Amino acid sequence: MGGEAGSAAALGSEGRVKSLGLVFEDESKGCYSSGEIVAGHVLLEAAEPVALRALRLEAHGRATAAWGPSAGAAAPASAAEVEYLNVRLRLREPPAGEGILLLQPGKHEFPFSFQLPSEPLVTSFTGKYGSIQYCVRAVLERPRAPDQSVRREIQVLSHMDVNTPALLTPVLKTQEKMVGCWFFTSGPVSLSVKIERKGYCNGEAIPIYAEIENCSSRLIVPKAAIFQTQTYLASGNTKTVRHMVANVRGNHIASGSTDVWNGKMLKIPPVTPSILDCCIIRVDYSLAVYIHIPGAKKLMLELPLVIGTVPYNGFGSRNASVASQFSMDMSWLTQILPEQPEAPPNYADVVSEEEFSRHGPPCPQPPSHEGEACCPMFACIQEFRFQPPPLYSEVDPHPANTEGSQPVSFIL
């Protein structure tokens, strides 16, 4: 029992409780999401009869951000907290009217189950100045000893689909920088960068399209990197932490030369997905393409990124392709319609005389009612299968009451 995940040695009086543990029903489950069931067992091993007031289960989830004026400060100067989960369950308690429940020596299992809130939960995260944590805690209340508890943390993942229209939009930026000091300028360095969409997932490679033109007299080196920016808000103050999570280097570009990145790949490493729905902790990403220019400030373009959890399915590009084909196929609408409609071809022109005589018997007489019950329906269908259509005529052979009727013309 001592090897169970989350187990802890119980230090109650007289050594009555040997161990207290907490295990989940699916220990291999890495993350939970909104609306899912969290289930498991509280394991208790008693060496002697154990008196308890209650065995309860608590589940908490909260975001906290805090920092002090210095490392040795007793209390943080800025602090904030937001609660996302608060569940309390009674797993075992004395019968009504009795204040104490006696557990016999041996091993005991107490199952538990609760559902996470259906509204979106914020993704678990731990940073320099704060964290977003979810945990499950079992507490053993005893009458003549301190409460004993065991705690397990669970990971929560808020799903973010990168296939939304806002995240499928291409991002493009262009910038130019003059190189030199005072009036001794050597020429501009221009940079244009584009990515096909804004949303990506862990493990994907971002194809970067860029054009770098070096009209200066310096040798320049283009680079690209993914930056993570953590923003903490507490007590009206803000803390920001920024660091690079991946990068790639381009070739040297000599003076008067141009280099083109036609889909240069930069792979996204395993990182925390973007956190955009917490009011005190935010995690953003950006793709930066920058150029180191000797003797001058570097030229940098930053394009916003969103790291999601539901990967790109490619439907956006296929739908766009289908839409473009559809617009091309509909070009016949722009053609001029003829002034007079052309009559359809005669039946004899499209069906040979031999085939007509073989499949086209004369129009059958209406059957008598005597044999109607035994005539199969399929035979009736076959008789009309190869009948010619009525002759085309611009004059209605069965006009309605023409008295007082006015001619009607259709303009096409």
Side-chain angles (χ1 to χ4, degrees), residues 105-330:
K107 296 180 180 180
H108 303 268
E109 291 189 11
F110 305 96
F112 67 86
S113 176
F114 64 91
Q115 186 175 17
L116 295 176
S118 56
E119 59 267 15
L121 295 173
V122 182
T123 299
S124 300
F125 173 75
T126 300
K128 184 175 182 179
Y129 297 107
S131 64
I132 303 170
Q133 292 183 335
Y134 300 84
C135 69
V136 179
R137 181 169 172 255
V139 181
L140 184 66
E141 300 179 9
R142 306 179 64 186
R144 293 180 298 273
D147 292 347
Q148 297 173 218
S149 65
V150 60
R151 180 181 179 274
R152 293 284 305 276
E153 187 174 347
I154 61 174
Q155 298 295 316
V156 170
L157 183 65
S158 177
H159 289 298
M160 185 182 301
D161 191 351
V162 302
N163 297 283
T164 58
L167 301 184
L168 293 179
T169 305
V171 185
L172 171 66
K173 283 190 177 182
T174 302
Q175 189 174 346
E176 184 177 88
K177 180 180 179 64
M178 292 298 297
V179 179
C181 58
W182 294 90
F183 54 88
F184 297 103
T185 58
S186 63
V189 175
S190 61
L191 172 63
S192 180
V193 182
K194 177 185 176 182
I195 54 176
E196 296 175 331
R197 48 191 165 95
K198 186 178 178 181
Y200 292 86
C201 291
N202 285 337
E204 281 192 274
I206 304 175
I208 305 171
Y209 300 88
E211 182 175 353
I212 308 104
E213 185 176 6
N214 183 14
C215 295
S216 71
S217 59
R218 321 284 174 85
L219 183 69
I220 62 175
V221 181
K223 298 179 182 180
I226 299 175
F227 287 94
Q228 181 194 76
T229 303
Q230 305 170 14
T231 305
Y232 304 87
L233 303 173
S235 304
N237 299 319
T238 303
K239 281 283 189 179
T240 301
V241 177
R242 175 182 166 98
H243 62 274
M244 183 188 298
V245 298
N247 67 325
V248 66
R249 181 189 179 101
N251 298 322
H252 290 79
I253 304 176
S255 175
S257 300
T258 299
D259 191 17
V260 176
W261 290 0
N262 191 17
K264 192 176 188 66
M265 293 297 185
L266 177 55
K267 188 173 181 179
I268 303 173
V271 293
T272 300
S274 298
I275 299 178
L276 311 176
D277 50 357
C278 179
C279 58
I280 63 174
I281 297 177
R282 185 179 176 94
V283 178
D284 295 284
Y285 292 90
S286 62
L287 172 69
V289 178
Y290 52 98
I291 299 174
H292 282 289
I293 306 173
K297 189 177 180 180
K298 65 182 176 182
L299 173 62
M300 175 182 287
L301 285 179
E302 280 201 70
L303 282 64
L305 285 179
V306 173
I307 306 300
T309 61
V310 181
Y312 177 60
N313 55 31
F315 287 164
S317 60
R318 284 203 291 268
N319 288 343
S321 177
V322 170
S324 62
Q325 293 177 10
F326 178 78
S327 62
M328 294 175 60
D329 294 339
M330 295 299 288

Side-chain angles (χ1 to χ4, degrees), residues 87-117:
V87 175
R88 290 174 178 268
L89 302 175
R90 288 271 180 171
L91 303 183
R92 181 61 61 90
E93 57 186 354
E98 299 183 17
I100 294 178
L101 175 67
L102 190 65
L103 289 181
Q104 297 301 320
K107 296 180 180 180
H108 303 268
E109 291 189 11
F110 305 96
F112 67 86
S113 176
F114 64 91
Q115 186 175 17
L116 295 176

Side-chain angles (χ1 to χ4, degrees), residues 337-369:
L337 295 175
E339 296 182 358
Q340 295 294 333
E342 182 181 355
N346 195 334
Y347 182 74
D349 295 338
V350 296
V351 179
S352 65
E353 184 176 350
E354 180 181 356
E355 184 178 1
F356 176 78
S357 61
R358 183 169 63 252
H359 297 291
C363 185
Q365 298 296 327
S368 62
H369 294 285

Side-chain angles (χ1 to χ4, degrees), residues 362-394:
C363 185
Q365 298 296 327
S368 62
H369 294 285
E370 297 178 356
E372 187 175 16
C374 62
C375 179
M377 180 62 69
F378 181 74
C380 297
I381 296 175
Q382 289 293 331
E383 291 178 358
F384 290 94
R385 183 176 181 184
F386 296 101
Q387 295 304 310
L391 295 177
Y392 173 79
S393 175
E394 296 184 1

